[in-house]
Amino acid sequence: MGMWIGKNRKARVCYGFDEISLVPGRITINPDEVDTSFTIPHPSGEPLRLKIPILASAMDGVTDVPFCVEMARLGGLGILNLEGVQTRYEDPRAVIQEIISADQGKVTELLQKIYSAPIQENLIAKRIEEIKAQGVPAAVSAIPQKALAFGAIAQEVGVDLFLIQSTVSTAKHISRQYPSLDLSAFCRQMRAPVIIGNAVTYDVVLDLMECGVSGVLIGVGPGAACTSRGVLGLGVPQVTATVDSAAARDAYYKKTGRYVPIITDGGMRRGGDLCKAIACGGDAAMIGSAFARAEESPGRGSHWGMATPHANLPRGTRIQMGISGPLRQILFGPATVDDGSQNLVGALMTSMGNAGAATIREFQETEVIIAPSIQSEGKLFQMVQSVGMGTR
């Protein structure tokens, strides 16, 4: 399959959220009666069960200890970045304020300076303990090169979920400069579930699942603050990436009997995008920019990606999102804006009900159509006035 892009070279046509639509079902269900729960399997214990299939991204402008606690209390899960300001500075609030206040032309250089401070390993344990002291699960993230060291510290204080995140994740990484993480061995030695990302292709997702992970993050470069696609030229639109990865998940389940969820990560600006991500095969979604607009977010409406402060090749930028409302309102409403950025869970429940899907698994069977006019059909006045679906 594919289209010719030149002599002897074909390319697949791939799709993002704005290019598809979901077809209503033959029956409909009361949205209040659908099940949006999400389960992360545990390799040797009780699975981690969430009331809603939503994780908050491990970005310093999005999550800190109070935010993670509130997110968990609302039924989701916030991920704390173990290589961010929370573990480099005893009092990260002043540092974040400096980032928020910096001129846009100087912010990248400032971020590189701030993130050059060494990580204090005692703060890794302290932040996890602060979250768990509130009676909620603690979930953290690190890059593969730090996973062994930070995983051991996190495990010692009872972390509930450990994420390994990089721009592109594979089961086999080749390097002469540093030892590569043995993912299979790491999953075996961790008492907590391990989720890895990010990936976008069938074969890679299958390889990662065979290493024993409890979940895979899907997406390369779709985040609002991420510039990887422009800097590196890498990425697959999220709809196609999710569909391909779901196919790998289902093939792995058929082969082994072990269900490993996939989590669509990035590119979701509003409720409709979340609905499409789940309907296209995602078991859950990881969201950053929408939560950066929460009153509880440490960035107070400012957002910058995990790769922004890279010393030599930054792949992100600080963006100003503004404050939308409290986290509860963004998740559950009532919505007071017309752009779909509030009441994300309500949107998912309503979409599931209109598709006739009582569960996430049933919603993944929803008919999907290619619909390039879905964003503009009949929406001239909204587009001209920059309201509703005319907002970007």
Side-chain angles (χ1 to χ4, degrees):
M1 295 180 61
M3 301 175 62
W4 294 106
I5 59 171
K7 191 173 180 63
N8 299 328
R9 193 70 178 265
K10 282 186 175 182
R12 279 200 301 157
V13 178
C14 296
Y15 300 96
F17 295 126
D18 288 350
E19 297 157 312
I20 62 131
S21 186
L22 309 180
V23 179
R26 190 173 182 178
I27 65 168
T28 53
I29 300 174
N30 178 359
D32 291 334
E33 298 177 29
V34 304
D35 179 8
T36 62
S37 62
F38 169 54
T39 299
I40 300 172
H42 195 293
S44 57
E46 284 294 313
L48 182 59
R49 294 185 173 90
L50 306 179
K51 292 182 180 179
I52 58 174
I54 301 176
L55 285 67
S57 299
M59 298 180 184
D60 283 341
V62 178
T63 61
D64 60 3
V65 170
F67 185 99
C68 290
V69 170
E70 180 66 7
M71 186 72 184
R73 287 175 174 168
L74 292 172
L77 194 65
I79 316 299
L80 193 72
N81 181 9
L82 293 186
E83 293 166 79
V85 296
Q86 301 296 326
T87 56
R88 295 177 192 267
Y89 300 92
E90 185 70 39
D91 180 11
R93 290 173 296 180
V95 177
I96 289 177
Q97 184 58 48
E98 188 177 359
I99 295 171
I100 294 172
S101 305
D103 292 338
Q104 189 65 40
K106 299 179 179 178
V107 71
T108 297
E109 185 177 355
L110 173 65
L111 285 165
Q112 290 172 319
K113 177 184 176 182
I114 286 174
Y115 284 83
S116 66
I119 295 169
Q120 301 180 48
E121 294 189 351
N122 66 299
L123 290 180
I124 294 176
K126 181 178 179 179
R127 301 304 181 215
I128 294 172
E129 289 172 338
E130 288 172 343
I131 295 173
K132 291 186 69 67
Q134 299 301 312
V136 300
V140 298
S141 170
I143 62 172
Q145 293 92 325
K146 302 292 186 180
L148 278 173
F150 294 174
I153 298 170
Q155 182 161 262
E156 185 68 24
V157 291
V159 74
D160 297 281
L161 182 66
F162 194 91
L163 276 67
I164 304 172
Q165 286 189 267
S166 54
T167 302
V168 174
S169 294
T170 58
K172 184 177 182 181
H173 177 67
I174 300 171
S175 175
R176 296 179 180 176
Q177 294 183 345
Y178 51 82
S180 298
L181 176 69
D182 184 333
L183 182 59
S184 297
F186 182 78
C187 290
R188 288 194 300 268
Q189 73 183 47
M190 287 294 290
R191 293 190 294 271
V194 175
I195 290 178
I196 190 166
N198 284 41
V200 290
T201 62
Y202 179 97
D203 290 338
V204 169
V205 170
L206 203 57
D207 289 344
L208 293 171
M209 289 181 175
E210 289 174 348
C211 292
V213 298
S214 295
V216 182
L217 298 170
I218 309 303
V220 171
C226 183
T227 61
S228 291
R229 292 179 175 180
V231 175
L232 305 179
L234 293 172
V236 175
Q238 283 292 66
V239 165
T240 297
T242 300
V243 170
D244 288 351
S245 300
R249 174 202 61 208
D250 295 343
Y252 181 76
Y253 176 66
K254 184 177 180 180
K255 175 184 176 183
T256 67
R258 190 171 79 94
Y259 190 88
V260 181
I262 62 168
I263 303 162
T264 303
D265 177 14
M268 287 155 281
R269 298 168 294 156
R270 48 198 176 195
D273 298 333
L274 169 64
C275 298
K276 293 175 184 180
I278 302 296
C280 287
D283 296 289
M286 177 174 277
I287 296 175
S289 58
F291 295 146
R293 301 181 67 188
E295 291 176 0
E296 297 89 341
S297 68
R300 301 290 299 166
S302 292
H303 179 35
W304 54 98
M306 292 176 72
T308 304
H310 190 282
N312 296 316
L313 191 63
R315 297 184 300 282
T317 185
R318 187 196 62 185
I319 56 176
Q320 305 289 350
M321 308 291 298
I323 296 294
S324 173
L327 180 58
R328 178 180 290 275
Q329 184 177 26
I330 291 173
L331 284 172
F332 299 107
T336 56
V337 295
D338 60 10
D339 61 359
S341 64
Q342 293 180 344
N343 199 1
L344 300 179
V345 177
L348 176 61
M349 294 170 67
T350 301
S351 187
M352 290 174 64
N354 286 327
T359 65
I360 293 293
R361 290 294 285 161
E362 290 180 7
F363 194 42
Q364 292 169 344
E365 301 298 322
T366 300
E367 182 181 357
V368 179
I369 58 172
I370 300 168
S373 65
I374 198 68
Q375 298 297 316
S376 58
E377 185 177 36
K379 303 298 185 290
L380 176 62
F381 289 105
Q382 293 185 36
M383 296 172 69
V384 170
Q385 297 173 38
S386 295
V387 298
M389 289 183 65
T391 59
R392 302 299 294 179

